[in-house]
């Protein structure tokens, strides 16, 4: 792809998006600056506010915090406003509101949530004895589920849903841990919701959109939830000016703040913040006490998960940026672990999959597509690779081979040897018009089969993991595909009891995993972006671009 064309594309994308644009610890280290008490007769809520300094129990770093306690006849809740973290003032204050009475009683848990979509193979299923729950939660800025997309008349059915997903709604799926559902919102919010009741436990504001799948790990100091934030835009200086000046090092994705936050998973206390250069939309992976991710400035970063300090930071190369390719990992038989993620390049070969040693950041292997396959647009930097740990296989998808004449693009899926990055197979499955925004499909590997959707053609595929041959293909219903619509099939499909669950458009579609036959289209409303179903026992949890979260009994989908 011509470098000038890419620069113009980046500028246009940036302009379009730009237009669209705790109960914490109750024993503070140093105490009162100001204290006062007010009573509001109309609602009979007692309100007490204290300005104080707290130290993070993890890092010992001081935080300037305003604590407000609210109490009425039935409930007590708290709001904390963090103005800075240590010597770093926050560009937007982080506000945490905590409702301790909404915590789950005797929750059931099974393991940490350490990578995007819960497991290396992207099978987002937690097999625990969790009951069938049925509730919905309305987030801030939630829209009526039957409402048209905002600005629909001006932006149309192709662009309007994408801007909503990238700037307001929930772009990716939720996380379950210890009876709590953690919900990432592009409205600069993180929610913690009781998985049994649907009641809000705490919510926290961030400095940019939360497009990452929250990572939750139980540490020696209690459970911690990590989220990364960023935006999908490009500034002019990060795109067209780079082309004009020939300085491709200036190609950086993200025009606002990129950061990683750590919160106490139970009460929302802010533990630390690390700011970065460019977006941090991809989900980090928690590996051996480190948080590892690719960013919009072409770097792979490893943070100490306890302190947020940089352990190592490596530059991938000129013109590289990670868009939404979340980190996955593979463990060699000798115990060495590599982190794997995709990068977009503004110059040939236009995209790479890169594996680094998690201990020191040294590149173990990198892979670019073979002759006859050229990544297009954000391509390989968009999709989170799936890993089959047992067989040592990495699977990734990307759009390729843009045709300038008819404006079509191919959708390709490939598999690599996880130990050395050698190509095992690659297949261009279909051609179609270029989808807006996230253009790939996140693959899932289950029992020797790769399940992957594509918005290019509104289709869902089942492929032989060994050789890439198509086992079946199914049309995704009720979604308008490109060029006039946004298309569906972006999220990782989920295998449950012989069925495949894939949210797309306003529906959760259920397919027979053996032959691809459509079993049911379950209407939810709103729109699903890269949102996968998360199955916990007998309940399916999903969120959407209209800022809603749902708990749906599994038997309503696959009965």
């Amino acid at each position: 792809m011509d470098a000038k064309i890419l620069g113009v594309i980046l500028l246009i994308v940036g302009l379009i998006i730009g237009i669209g644009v705790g109960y914490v610890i109750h024993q503070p280290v140093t105490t009162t600056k100001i204290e006062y008490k007010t009573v509001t007769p109309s609602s009979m809520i007692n309100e007490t506010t204290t300005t104080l300094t707290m130290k993070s129990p993890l890092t010992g770093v001081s935080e300037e915090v305003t604590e407000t306690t609210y109490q009425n006849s039935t409930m007590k809740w708290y709001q904390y406003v963090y103005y800075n973290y240590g010597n770093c003032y926050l560009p937007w204050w982080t506000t945490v509101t905590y409702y301790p009475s909404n915590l789950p009683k005797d929750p059931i848990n099974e393991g940490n949530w350490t990578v995007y979509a819960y497991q290396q193979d992207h099978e987002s299923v937690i097999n625990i004895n969790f009951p069938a729950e049925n509730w919905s939660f309305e987030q801030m800025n939630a829209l009526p589920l039957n409402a048209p997309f905002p600005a629909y008349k001006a932006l149309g059915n192709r662009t309007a849903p994408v801007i909503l997903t990238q700037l307001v709604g929930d772009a990716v799926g939720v996380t379950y841990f210890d009876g709590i559902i953690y919900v990432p919102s592009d409205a600069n919010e993180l929610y913690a919701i009781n998985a049994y009741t649907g009641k809000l436990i705490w919510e926290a504001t961030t400095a940019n959109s939360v497009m990452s799948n929250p990572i939750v790990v139980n540490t020696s100091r209690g459970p911690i939830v990590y989220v990364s934030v960023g935006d999908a835009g490009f500034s002019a200086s990060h795109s067209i000016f780079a082309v004009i000046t020939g300085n491709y090092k200036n190609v950086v994705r993200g025009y606002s703040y990129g950061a990683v936050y750590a919160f106490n998973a139970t009460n929302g206390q802010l533990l630390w913040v690390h700011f970065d250069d460019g977006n941090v939309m991809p989900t980090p992976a928690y590996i051996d006490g480190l948080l590892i991710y690719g960013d919009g400035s072409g770097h792979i970063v490893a943070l100490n998960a306890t302190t947020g300090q940089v352990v190592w930071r490596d530059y991938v190369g000129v013109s590289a940026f990670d868009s939404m390719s979340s980190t996955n990992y593979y463990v060699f038989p000798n115990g060495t672990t590599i982190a794997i993620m995709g990068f977009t390049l503004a110059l040939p070969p236009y995209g790479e999959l890169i594996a680094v040693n998690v201990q020191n950041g040294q590149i173990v292997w990198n892979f670019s597509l073979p002759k006859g396959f050229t990544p297009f647009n954000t391509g390989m930097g968009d999709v989170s690779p799936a890993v089959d740990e047992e067989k040592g296989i990495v699977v990734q998808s990307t759009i390729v081979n843009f045709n300038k004449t008819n404006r079509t693009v191919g959708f390709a899926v490939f598999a690599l040897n996880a130990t050395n990055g050698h190509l095992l197979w690659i297949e261009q499955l279909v051609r179609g018009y270029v989808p807006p925004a996230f253009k790939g499909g996140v693959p899932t590997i289950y029992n020797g089969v790769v399940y992957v959707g594509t918005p290019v053609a509104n289709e869902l595929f089942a492929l032989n993991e060994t050789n890439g041959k198509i086992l079946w293909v199914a049309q995704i219903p009720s979604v308008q595909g490109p060029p006039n619509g946004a298309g569906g099939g972006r999220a990782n499909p989920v295998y449950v009891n012989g069925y495949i669950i894939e949210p797309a458009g306003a529906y959760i579609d259920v397919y027979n995993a053996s032959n691809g036959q459509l079993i049911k289209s379950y209407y939810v409303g709103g729109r699903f972006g890269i949102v996968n179903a998360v199955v916990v026992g007998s309940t399916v949890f999903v969120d959407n671009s209209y800022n809603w979260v749902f708990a749906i009994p599994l038997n309503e989908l696959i009965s």
Side-chain angles (χ1 to χ4, degrees), residues 340 353 365 385-388 392-396 414-418 445:
I340 307 166
L353 208 62
W365 55 257
V387 173
D388 185 331
I393 294 177
V394 180
V395 177
Q396 173 79 314
F414 60 91
L416 307 178
N417 183 317
I445 307 171

Side-chain angles (χ1 to χ4, degrees), residues 217-224 264:
V217 179
N218 196 14
T219 73
S220 60
R221 299 193 181 184
I224 300 175
N264 181 299

